[in-house]
Amino acid sequence: MRFAFLIPPMMLLAACGSEEKKAGEGAEVSINAEGDGGGIKIQTGKDGGKIRIGGDGAAINIDVPDFVDLDVASDFDIDGVTLYPGSQVTKVDVNASDKAGADQATVKLGFTSPAAPTKAADWMAGEFAKKGVKVTRAGDTLAGKDKDGADFTIKFAPDGANAKGEVVITKI
């Protein structure tokens, strides 16, 4: 199974998160990786997580309490550009497939930002320009292609005086 390399890091992550989290902290994480020989599915939330590994006649299901204490916001960047300072990732959804030689992946990140949509979009557009990454802008939505050839879109919407949004990265 081509995704077997993900098993050791997942097991290490399962051991993390022993400190208490404040209510509402942490992102929900969903990872779904499929290949011709099977797949891996990971789901986490505030009440713990599940790891499911299956393929070619074997299956492993693991319930993991308080799965992981990831700081996704500080680990996230597109070609060196991070989310607006102080942003919090609220949801991560990864779908990857390697079936019949077709390698595809989509990553979606939900986030909140402590700035209005226009201010956060202006800041990120400026950061992309500093890194030489070309983006197009329609209102408060940025779109471009990273150095690896993946398409990305970053949408900002009002959330009171602040912004909420979604990053979608697609590699086909």
Side-chain angles (χ1 to χ4, degrees), residues 8-57:
M10 288 184 304
M11 298 310 291
L12 288 173
L13 288 173
C16 297
S18 58
E19 65 185 57
E20 283 189 42
K21 294 181 191 176
K22 297 176 190 153
E25 254 187 39
E28 291 181 21
V29 178
S30 173
I31 299 172
N32 184 27
E34 297 179 302
D36 290 331
I40 297 171
K41 187 170 190 165
I42 304 170
Q43 292 179 302
T44 71
K46 64 179 181 172
D47 296 326
K50 295 185 182 295
I51 299 174
R52 293 184 183 94
I53 304 166
D56 295 339

Side-chain angles (χ1 to χ4, degrees), residues 53-83:
I53 304 166
D56 295 339
I60 300 171
N61 292 308
I62 303 170
D63 288 330
V64 184
D66 197 14
F67 179 62
V68 66
D69 189 14
L70 291 173
D71 185 3
V72 180
S74 67
D75 293 336
F76 169 79
D77 75 78
I78 297 174
D79 293 340
V81 177
T82 61
L83 292 173

